[in-house]
Amino acid sequence: MDIVILGTGNIATHYAKAFQTQGHRITQVYSKTSANASALAEVVSAESVHDLSQISDSAELYIIAVSDQAIKTVIDQLPHQLKGIVVHTSGATPLTVLNRFEKSGVIYPPQSLSKNVETDLSVIPFAIEGNTSEVEQTLLAIAQQISYKSFLCNSHQRITLHIAAVFVNNFSNALYQVAFDLLRQHHLDVELLRPIILETANKVQHHEPKKVQTGPAIRNDVQTIHSHLKLLNQDESLTQIYQNLTDLIIKTR
């Protein structure tokens, strides 16, 4: 399959390499920054393009892998006569933004990807959507070449998945930073937390999270909770976060 990659960021880079590895031909790589387009195009032996008017209209698949805010801009500037399937890779953007194309879809990875970090895509469950059942089956088939966990998913399900991913990835990562900052303020090494971070992550691979919940909130240890809040009382935002999460655990235990 001839594929055009629109974007040169984290997802674009991983997709371009993965599809090429599966025997597909990356014909063009687009970025408004010509140096970025050239860099990725060289990796996958493709033509680099920095003007959307130069996009070929004969590819079989066009992958829009840009930020959510830039998706509509790219769509509006793409040639109208594209013959292939046009997809985006966003978790929060509905399929309907691609309505002006005859064949359209989504290949969304609920994963945090970095272009310079090797990632085993075969374990990622790619969420697939298409504007027709034929398009869906085509996209599902090529996604399953990369990961057998790929599955069909409508726009409502996909944004739900995206929200859930934000909770387990972005929010938890922000809380890790809160914890690291607290330790440093009190002259403690952040390495002290790495074992418990790994232990918690390992537990939820095999158990429902609430079944392995520990800590003062699940025990309703009011005395310890008050001690924690007293230490945090000079930072109103952290106090509120701690109280809200404590209330959530107590409510759902």
Side-chain angles (χ1 to χ4, degrees):
M1 178 177 281
D2 285 354
I3 300 174
V4 171
I5 303 291
L6 299 142
T8 56
N10 298 323
I11 293 178
T13 299
H14 279 281
Y15 276 34
K17 292 178 179 179
F19 281 116
Q20 185 191 52
T21 298
Q22 292 302 319
H24 300 285
R25 188 165 74 103
I26 310 302
T27 58
Q28 292 179 315
V29 172
Y30 161 80
S31 172
K32 63 182 179 181
T33 305
S34 58
N36 292 345
S38 297
L40 180 55
E42 184 176 354
V43 171
V44 294
S45 303
E47 175 192 4
S48 66
V49 175
H50 64 273
D51 186 333
L52 285 168
S53 66
Q54 300 174 328
I55 294 296
S56 166
D57 64 358
S58 60
E60 296 162 274
L61 180 64
Y62 299 82
I63 301 177
I64 302 173
V66 298
S67 68
D68 286 12
Q69 297 89 337
I71 290 175
K72 188 176 186 306
T73 300
V74 171
I75 290 170
D76 289 345
Q77 295 180 49
L78 279 173
H80 285 69
Q81 69 276 17
L82 298 182
K83 299 180 177 65
I85 303 170
V86 182
V87 306
H88 68 67
T89 62
S90 167
T93 305
L95 174 62
T96 52
V97 300
L98 297 167
N99 274 351
R100 77 180 183 86
F101 300 107
E102 181 181 351
K103 294 181 284 187
S104 61
V106 180
I107 306 176
Y108 163 61
Q111 179 61 277
S112 178
L113 298 172
S114 298
K115 65 165 75 176
N116 297 319
V117 177
E118 290 295 325
T119 301
D120 182 4
L121 299 187
S122 69
V123 300
I124 297 175
F126 292 92
I128 306 302
E129 185 175 9
N131 68 329
T132 68
S133 56
E134 181 181 356
V135 167
E136 279 190 336
Q137 291 306 314
T138 298
L139 295 178
L140 183 62
I142 64 170
Q144 286 180 335
Q145 292 174 0
I146 298 173
S147 171
Y148 72 93
K149 292 186 175 184
S150 299
F151 67 104
L152 297 180
C153 178
N154 63 40
S155 288
H156 179 76
Q157 291 172 320
R158 179 162 36 84
I159 193 169
T160 302
L161 177 58
H162 188 259
I163 294 169
V166 167
F167 271 103
V168 300
N169 179 45
N170 308 120
F171 290 169
S172 63
N173 193 65
L175 291 176
Y176 292 157
Q177 190 61 56
V178 167
F180 279 26
D181 291 343
L182 274 173
L183 289 188
R184 289 178 176 133
Q185 288 167 18
H186 295 273
H187 312 292
L188 290 164
D189 192 338
V190 299
E191 292 298 320
L192 296 168
L193 288 178
R194 297 196 194 279
I196 196 171
I197 290 171
L198 288 174
E199 176 66 13
T200 302
N202 286 332
K203 282 179 180 177
V204 298
Q205 303 306 310
H206 308 288
H207 303 280
E208 185 81 9
K210 69 179 182 180
K211 299 294 186 182
V212 291
Q213 183 71 56
T214 62
I218 198 72
R219 300 191 302 268
N220 198 24
D221 183 349
V222 175
Q223 183 175 343
T224 298
I225 291 169
H226 285 169
S227 296
H228 290 176
L229 289 170
K230 184 178 180 180
L231 186 145
L232 295 171
N233 67 2
Q234 292 184 346
D235 190 319
E236 184 178 347
S237 63
L238 288 189
T239 299
Q240 192 62 57
I241 290 170
Y242 184 99
Q243 188 64 67
N244 286 343
L245 290 175
T246 295
D247 291 345
L248 174 64
I249 293 170
I250 292 172
K251 180 180 178 181
T252 57
R253 62 184 177 155

